[in-house]
Amino acid sequence: QVQLVESGGGSVQAGGSLRLSCAASGYTRSSYCMAWFRQAPGKEREEVATIDGGGSTRYADSVKGRFTISQDNAKNTLYLQMNSLKPDDTAMYYCAARYGGNWCPQPGWMSSYGYWGQGTQVTVSS
């Protein structure tokens, strides 16, 4: 089993920055995909960014150039640096993981992720 715990959410004004963290514990493995998703009220959960065990990353068009996904393998921690935040970024942010192969599912294939965190709220005011 794997446990994922997110932290770092909060309230900021538009243009501000936040860094989310996701600490993984339990039976983690060296080949994986880890991702950040978000879900705003009344909207479907959407993929924000992914990173695999080989270091390949992918970003949603809406966050390219503003968000950076990274990882500290020594700490088993995933990060999401969010800059130039906009009110549209307001959502609950979740980290997710799948293990077994350095590849990430296509956007929308959320069922491929076997592990999810509980979420951390990000609120951006104008």
Side-chain angles (χ1 to χ4, degrees):
Q1 282 293 339
V2 174
Q3 294 78 43
L4 302 176
V5 179
E6 302 98 334
S7 61
S11 297
V12 296
Q13 291 191 327
S17 298
L18 283 173
R19 189 177 80 156
L20 306 183
S21 299
C22 173
S25 61
Y27 185 49
T28 60
R29 279 140 278 177
S30 59
S31 61
Y32 58 84
C33 171
M34 294 196 75
W36 287 101
F37 287 80
R38 67 186 180 185
Q39 187 167 18
K43 295 187 177 180
E44 294 185 352
R45 191 171 297 190
E46 63 175 354
E47 180 187 293
V48 175
T50 66
I51 187 167
D52 66 27
S56 295
T57 58
R58 181 174 73 214
Y59 295 92
D61 287 344
S62 59
V63 307
K64 281 180 182 176
R66 300 188 299 120
F67 291 11
T68 302
I69 189 170
S70 64
Q71 57 194 350
D72 184 333
N73 290 330
K75 296 182 179 179
N76 274 346
T77 301
L78 178 73
Y79 301 102
L80 185 69
Q81 178 66 44
M82 305 186 295
N83 298 329
S84 302
L85 282 161
K86 305 175 182 180
D88 284 349
D89 296 318
T90 295
M92 185 71 80
Y93 283 71
Y94 300 88
C95 71
R98 62 158 300 282
Y99 295 95
N102 285 332
W103 58 269
C104 288
Q106 290 298 310
W109 288 88
M110 288 184 292
S111 61
S112 297
Y113 292 91
Y115 303 97
W116 291 83
Q118 82 289 349
T120 186
Q121 177 68 37
V122 171
T123 303
V124 184
S125 58
S126 57

